[in-house]
Amino acid sequence: MALNVLPSQDPAIAMAVREQAETAMQELLETPAGHAAVRRIGTGGQQGRILIVPPFGIPARTLSFVADQLAERGYEACLLDVRNHVGDGSGTMHDYQLSAVVDDCRNAIRRYEPTGVIGLSLGGRALLRATATSGLHPHAVLLIPVVNLRSTLTEVLGRDLYLEPEVPEFHAVLGHSVRSKPFLDDALHHGLLSPEGTAHDLATLTGTTTLFPLDGDQWVDVQEVQRVSDCAQLQGARITTTAMAGNEHELHKHPELALRMIAAAVEEIDRLHQLQPAV
């Protein structure tokens, strides 16, 4: 469910992340329930503005090297830390709920009006819903997109919590303790659980979308990603799905794969802008 992207074994990359974090402009997105935070890198980029949403359990500053690559191509990058998550947003992981991530993503889209968005894993699922309901039309690139949250959650936890009559108050998800029932009820109530909901959101997008799943991902079935993509395409979505070689969802453990996927995302978002400027 989480795509953890810090190739920290490379000292040069780690240094670049620290330098970008120190020089980035940070702004808060206030809500009645707390604040999200946005780091802006490459402010004033002439090619466009890209909103980047990290995966579950990863702070936005970890992806500063992605923003650096975009800035080198002339883009401004906005790195989003949502509420009730790791990073600079308010709250703690105990109260993490996907609909709040959607709200923070949508608020960021409406405030910064990005020409493109990049989302990773579960963060990409929330970004997809936010983009589909924002009223704006950025291009979208989603890496290792979670299209069936119930299935992915079951693979990660080794059990289907939706089938259990009672669940513990807290459950550890990839090392983070989350309130079980509020999280489960929230995803179900907001239609963020099923592949049908994902297909509907994809079909609602008016920009061009590219999905990059991994062909051997144990947590996200690449064939299901393709089925969801095909369904959205039949409804008129401009969408391309390109499977990449790999079988590890937690990319922080596989920095070469992480860098390869990030390079593909940056190249693709640039290509989409060159082919057709976002509305």
Side-chain angles (χ1 to χ4, degrees), residues 2-9 55-58 62 174 219 248-259:
L3 177 68
N4 305 334
V5 190
L6 178 57
S8 55
Q9 292 89 335
F56 176 87
I58 297 297
T62 303
L174 300 177
W219 293 350
E248 295 294 340
H249 202 91
E250 295 182 278
L251 293 189
H252 68 296
K253 299 176 182 177
H254 302 273
E256 291 183 5
L257 178 58
L259 292 175

Side-chain angles (χ1 to χ4, degrees), residues 16 76 84 168 272:
E76 176 182 336
N84 301 321
L272 294 176

